[in-house]
Amino acid sequence: GGSDYYLIATENNIYEISFTTFEVGDQIEFKFRINGVNWENPNSAICNCIIDSDGYVNRVYIIQAGQNSLSFWYNDEEDS
């Protein structure tokens, strides 16, 4: 299970979210869903992903020092 955090729409179909609770070196796993129903299926051939204990593909990222800004396409499909 995960937690429900919501992205905020900005402009040009770009969404963002901010967190302040992570520390340098923390590994996070995440994925996106639309309208709380449609989970994305990240493409592990082109992104850093892992298979979780339930067999689902999650994106993975290790927090770096300073500001961390990440950019993704839903399902790794441009303009999706």
Side-chain angles (χ1 to χ4, degrees):
S3 300
D4 289 325
Y5 292 100
Y6 298 95
L7 299 168
I8 299 168
T10 58
E11 57 187 51
N12 298 324
N13 290 324
I14 296 174
Y15 295 80
E16 62 184 32
I17 192 168
S18 296
F19 296 98
T20 58
T21 55
F22 297 118
E23 295 184 20
V24 172
D26 283 352
Q27 178 175 297
I28 60 172
E29 294 179 34
F30 60 98
K31 67 172 72 178
F32 304 103
R33 63 183 175 172
I34 297 176
N35 298 326
V37 179
N38 300 319
W39 286 98
E40 76 164 337
N41 188 21
N43 183 344
S44 59
I46 62 173
C47 73
N48 292 328
C49 297
I50 63 169
I51 307 293
D52 70 13
S53 60
D54 295 319
Y56 296 104
V57 177
N58 289 332
R59 297 177 185 276
V60 64
Y61 180 77
I62 297 174
I63 303 298
Q64 307 297 308
Q67 182 175 347
N68 289 248
S69 180
L70 310 175
S71 178
F72 301 96
W73 293 100
Y74 183 83
N75 281 339
D76 297 312
E77 297 174 3
E78 189 170 340
D79 293 327
S80 58

